[in-house]
């Protein structure tokens, strides 16, 4: 064939393909009903950057986006969970904001007619209206709440599907998307999760109640029309009733806002955000012209759209608390873990080695009760715990703060006073101190321009407390303007706070340099002190026992024979003092390290750890394993100064555990954006997690 003809033909075929394909600059919005399609078509006429793709269900829209046949859809929490599963791997990029009352969260409530008289605990046998099967406010939250309060008797998926347990609890229901049966009995249309079912969605569930098909509607707090509010009430979990506008004091849960999801593609996410912001003379948040459907493409109560922090996946967006509710209503297998075992998350080789020693010693009736899951950092461990790829780890106060923002809870706390191990009461604590070499003439007042040694970015004694003090003095978030250089493992590679770090000691190509793990020799309490001893810094921020421990017979080689009286403490407004005077010269008294886990795993983690410390917590010489001693490093898995673990009272939130002084210090430090990790930024994005 003539080469020119071949080129011409190839060009023709290429142009033909391009002609029928959707241009790459289009944002293809997926819609699931005729009403949504009409609204989307009008949007596309107003803003040609948009086009519309119709599918018959949310799941098929998720599949279309995954396959590249569509680009975006707005989903509720339950569907965001589905979209984020490994087989779809979509991520939320833009959240709906509902205004000053709830911002990027809303309240899931149970609405009843004021003329009825039953309480929340008396819902058995009533007729129920749900927004949709596996939807947040309409299914996941109320069903999860009823199961957790033991009002719905359900032993788990091995017993029966949760839908069957719900259908046995209510006399009849409309839960669009459920399998035909009693859960579709009250529905007016085809019982699908589309607007072909008149009782689908928030307004549909409310109409189901208003038209006397059902006796209770599970919806969001903004569903009841203003004119109808006097005729309805909220059912509270404490068996009281409240007016519709009292949702802040009477709700089942606070729920993350609906969000736009798409494929993992930063450029596409940017294009979708810019395209939505370019829309003019078209109300994205009104469905009035496209009835009878409501909340088309976006919820009608949306005030504006806000960007979700980068690197936020569906699990971080939803948070551990909401994830635990979803898990309580769904089958989730974890075949890698033995029944009755917990997976301890480790960071670095030394911790993994210690955990690997723990596993065989934890055998009970031929099965290990402790298994190990490794991650490159504490934040990655917290993500694993949220995703149920790990179960627990012990972290310091700053990391308890981050874990709490992500919905995890403190369940056991380290106790450093053996005499208090058999008692209950105030948790153990320690002092955050600033250590200098004796005779160095370094004081708090002349600290500016010196070199600093930190346990790690985001750590309590090593970063949060001292940097909080420094920020309160300077009001400058650029701490590189205060210290000339330092080592703060976890800092960006180009930061002045990586300049003094040494990694694992390799002369070249050391991937561990400045990483927040044991392989960085200056990481942690002993690492920060080593940084000071080896003259890489002029001050070390550590806990008060770090220097005192040098008095023991098993000093590490790097300590060079140094003893506590070779050092001094400095603090604001004082001259230097001996290291034994930490009670009068410290930067703060802070809470002890704590074990964190998912809310639903609390009981199992406590039970297993109590059993393990009864066997391996005493430090007996003939014991094959010791939980609270480290042979190949310092403070591995737990602080070496730990004498026992004590149970944190049930229901204790992370902010209650940390206390008001520590929370105030952390909140003030968070004025500096660079002090907030990507994980914490993702988890604290929602107003749900602000407290």
């Amino acid at each position: 064939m003539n080469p020119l003809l071949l080129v011409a033909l190839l060009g023709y075929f290429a142009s033909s393909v391009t002609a029928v394909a959707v241009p790459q600059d289009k944002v293809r919005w997926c819609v699931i009903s005729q009403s949504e399609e009409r609204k989307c078509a009008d949007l596309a006429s107003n803003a040609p950057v948009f086009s519309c793709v119709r599918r018959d269900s949310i799941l098929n829209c998720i599949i279309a986006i995954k396959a590249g046949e569509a680009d975006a859809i707005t989903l509720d929490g339950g569907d965001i969970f589905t979209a984020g599963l490994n087989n779809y791997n979509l991520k939320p990029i833009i959240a709906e904001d509902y205004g000053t009352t709830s911002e990027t969260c809303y309240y899931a409530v149970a609405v009843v007619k004021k003329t009825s008289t039953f309480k929340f605990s008396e819902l058995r046998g009533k007729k129920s209206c749900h927004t949709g099967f596996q939807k947040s406010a309409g299914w996941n939250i109320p069903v999860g709440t009823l199961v957790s309060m033991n009002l719905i008797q359900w032993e788990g998926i091995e017993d029966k599907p949760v839908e069957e347990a719900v259908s046995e609890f209510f006399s009849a229901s409309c839960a669009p998307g459920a399998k035909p049966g009693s859960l579709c009995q009250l529905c007016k249309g085809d019982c699908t999760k589309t607007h072909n079912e008149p009782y689908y969605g928030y307004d549909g569930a409310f109409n189901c109640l208003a038209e006397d098909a059902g006796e209770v509607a599970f919806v969001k707090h903004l569903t009841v029309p203003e004119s109808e509010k006097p005729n309805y009430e909220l059912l509270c979990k404490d068996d009281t009733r409240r007016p519709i506008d009292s949702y802040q004091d009477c709700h089942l849960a606070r729920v993350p806002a609906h969000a736009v999801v798409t494929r993992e593609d930063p450029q596409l996410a940017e294009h979708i955000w810019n395209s939505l912001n370019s829309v003019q003379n078209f109300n994205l948040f009104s469905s009035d012209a496209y009835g009878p459907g409501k909340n088309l493409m976006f919820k009608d109560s949306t005030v504006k759209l806000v960007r979700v922090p980068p690197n936020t996946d569906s699990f971080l967006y939803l948070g551990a608390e909401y994830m635990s509710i979803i898990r309580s209503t769904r089958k989730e297998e974890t075949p890698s873990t033995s029944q009755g075992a917990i997976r301890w998350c480790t960071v670095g080789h030394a911790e993994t080695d210690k955990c690997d020693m723990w596993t065989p010693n934890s055998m009970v009736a031929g099965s290990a009760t402790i298994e190990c899951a490794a991650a490159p950092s504490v934040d990655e461990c917290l993500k694993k715990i949220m995703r149920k790829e790990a179960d627990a780890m012990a972290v310091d106060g700053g990391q308890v703060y981050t874990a709490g923002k992500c919905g995890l809870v403190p369940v056991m706390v380290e106790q450093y006073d053996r005499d208090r191990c058999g008692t209950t009461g105030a948790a153990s604590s320690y002092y955050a101190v600033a250590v200098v070499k004796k005779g160095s003439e370094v004081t708090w007042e002349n600290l500016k321009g010196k070199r600093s040694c930190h346990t790690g970015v985001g750590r309590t004694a090593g970063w949060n407390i001292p940097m909080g003090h420094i920020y309160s003095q300077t009001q400058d978030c650029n701490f590189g303007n205060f210290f000339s250089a330092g080592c703060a493992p976890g800092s960006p590679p180009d930061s002045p706070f990586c300049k003094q770090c040494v990694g694992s000691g390799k002369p070249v190509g050391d991937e561990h340099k400045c990483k927040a793990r044991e392989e960085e020799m200056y990481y942690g309490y002993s690492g920060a002190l080593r940084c000071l001893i080896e003259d890489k810094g002029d001050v070390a921020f550590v806990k008060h026992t770090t220097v005192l421990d040098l008095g023991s017979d098993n000093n590490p080689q790097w300590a060079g024979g140094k003893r506590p009286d070779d050092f001094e403490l400095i603090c604001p407004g004082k001259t230097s003092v001996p290291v034994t005077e930490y009670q009068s010269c410290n930067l703060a008294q802070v809470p002890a390290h704590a074990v964190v886990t998912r809310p639903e795993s609390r009981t199992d983690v406590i039970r297993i750890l109590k059993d393990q410390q009864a066997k391996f917590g005493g430090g007996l010489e003939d014991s094959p394993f010791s939980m609270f001693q480290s042979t190949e490093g310092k403070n591995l898995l737990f602080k070496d100064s730990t004498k026992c673990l004590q149970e944190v009272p049930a229901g204790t939130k992370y902010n209650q555990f940390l206390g008001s002084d520590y929370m105030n210090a952390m909140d003030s430090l968070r004025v500096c954006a660079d002090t907030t990790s990507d994980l914490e930024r993702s988890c604290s994005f929602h107003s749900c997690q602000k407290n």
Side-chain angles (χ1 to χ4, degrees), residues 33 57 116 125 129 203 272 486 594 608 615 684:
S33 69
S57 69
S116 64
C129 305
D203 293 279
I272 293 169
I608 289 174
K615 297 174 181 175
S684 58

Side-chain angles (χ1 to χ4, degrees), residues 234-246:
L234 302 177
L235 291 184
C236 311
K237 290 188 287 186
D238 64 1
D239 271 355
T240 60
R241 285 182 171 221
R242 297 287 185 89
I244 293 297
D245 286 333
S246 296

Side-chain angles (χ1 to χ4, degrees), residues 154-163 328-333:
W154 186 55
E155 299 301 323
I157 194 69
E158 303 81 9
D159 176 35
K160 65 182 79 167
V162 68
E163 306 96 281
S328 71
T329 63
R330 299 189 184 199
K331 179 181 180 180
E332 283 213 324
E333 297 178 355

Side-chain angles (χ1 to χ4, degrees), residues 211-231:
E211 295 172 7
D212 289 320
E215 298 167 276
V216 58
F218 298 109
V219 292
K220 65 182 172 75
H221 68 288
L222 299 171
T223 302
V224 181
E226 194 69 35
S227 60
E228 292 292 320
K229 287 180 179 179
N231 303 319

Side-chain angles (χ1 to χ4, degrees), residues 320-568:
E321 188 172 5
Y322 183 72
M323 291 292 294
S324 71
I325 292 171
I326 291 183
R327 290 193 188 101
S328 71
T329 63
R330 299 189 184 199
K331 179 181 180 180
E332 283 213 324
E333 297 178 355
T334 51
S336 61
T337 304
S338 309
Q339 191 169 7
I342 59 172
R343 287 158 300 181
W344 202 263
C345 200
T346 64
V347 178
H349 293 304
E351 281 205 339
T352 301
D353 289 345
K354 181 176 178 180
C355 188
D356 286 342
M357 288 178 60
W358 192 3
T359 297
N361 285 290
S362 72
M363 299 284 283
V364 174
S367 297
T369 55
I370 298 293
E371 298 182 0
C372 308
S377 67
V378 171
D379 278 5
E380 290 301 318
C381 266
L382 297 179
K383 289 181 186 179
K384 277 183 175 285
I385 295 170
M386 291 178 68
R387 293 179 180 133
K388 217 172 180 180
E389 296 168 1
D391 299 306
M393 74 182 306
V395 295
D396 98 321
Q399 294 154 344
V400 170
Y401 182 91
T402 298
K405 290 290 186 182
C406 294
L408 303 181
V409 292
V411 295
M412 297 200 85
V413 59
E414 295 178 347
Q415 174 57 258
Y416 311 125
D417 184 346
R418 192 178 299 281
D419 294 337
R420 297 173 66 183
C421 279
T423 64
T424 57
S428 189
S429 62
Y430 60 94
Y431 294 92
V433 296
V435 180
V436 298
K437 291 179 180 177
K438 192 171 185 177
S440 66
E441 298 186 355
V442 175
T443 67
W444 190 268
E445 280 63 38
N446 67 16
L447 203 54
K448 185 173 183 180
K450 302 295 190 294
R451 300 165 303 160
S452 56
C453 302
H454 307 261
T455 59
V457 174
R459 297 283 296 267
T460 298
W463 185 268
N464 296 334
I465 297 301
M467 295 320 212
H469 274 283
I470 289 167
Y471 175 75
S472 67
Q473 291 175 205
T474 65
Q475 301 297 300
D476 184 357
C477 287
N478 186 353
F479 298 117
N481 291 335
F482 190 86
F483 291 112
S484 60
C487 178
S491 298
D494 58 350
S495 164
F497 293 103
C498 279
K499 192 174 180 181
Q500 301 299 96
C501 293
V502 292
S504 61
K506 293 180 182 178
V508 293
D510 190 351
E511 71 274 16
H512 302 299
K513 181 178 170 67
C514 202
K515 294 293 193 302
R517 50 178 178 250
E518 288 297 324
E519 285 78 10
E520 164 56 64
M521 294 192 294
Y522 291 168
Y523 174 65
Y525 297 112
S526 57
L529 182 60
R530 181 175 182 174
C531 167
L532 175 65
I533 289 174
E534 296 183 348
D535 203 31
K536 291 298 180 72
D538 304 301
V539 59
F541 298 109
V542 292
K543 63 184 173 80
H544 70 281
T545 59
T546 304
V547 184
L548 298 175
D549 287 343
L550 286 177
S552 62
D553 294 330
N554 59 345
N555 271 4
Q557 189 174 359
W558 55 258
K562 298 287 186 184
R563 301 186 64 81
D565 56 10
D566 291 318
F567 302 92
E568 296 174 318

Side-chain angles (χ1 to χ4, degrees), residues 31 33-47 52 195-196 279-298 300:
V31 297
S33 69
Q34 188 175 0
S35 300
E36 272 200 334
E37 192 168 27
R38 286 194 290 120
K39 180 176 179 179
C40 183
D42 282 358
L43 170 63
S45 297
N46 178 274
C52 310
H195 295 103
N196 295 330
V279 175
Q280 296 178 345
N281 304 316
F282 184 87
N283 191 346
L284 291 169
F285 315 131
S286 174
S287 304
D288 291 345
Y290 310 99
K294 293 280 189 179
N295 304 303
L296 304 175
M297 298 181 66
F298 299 93
D300 295 344

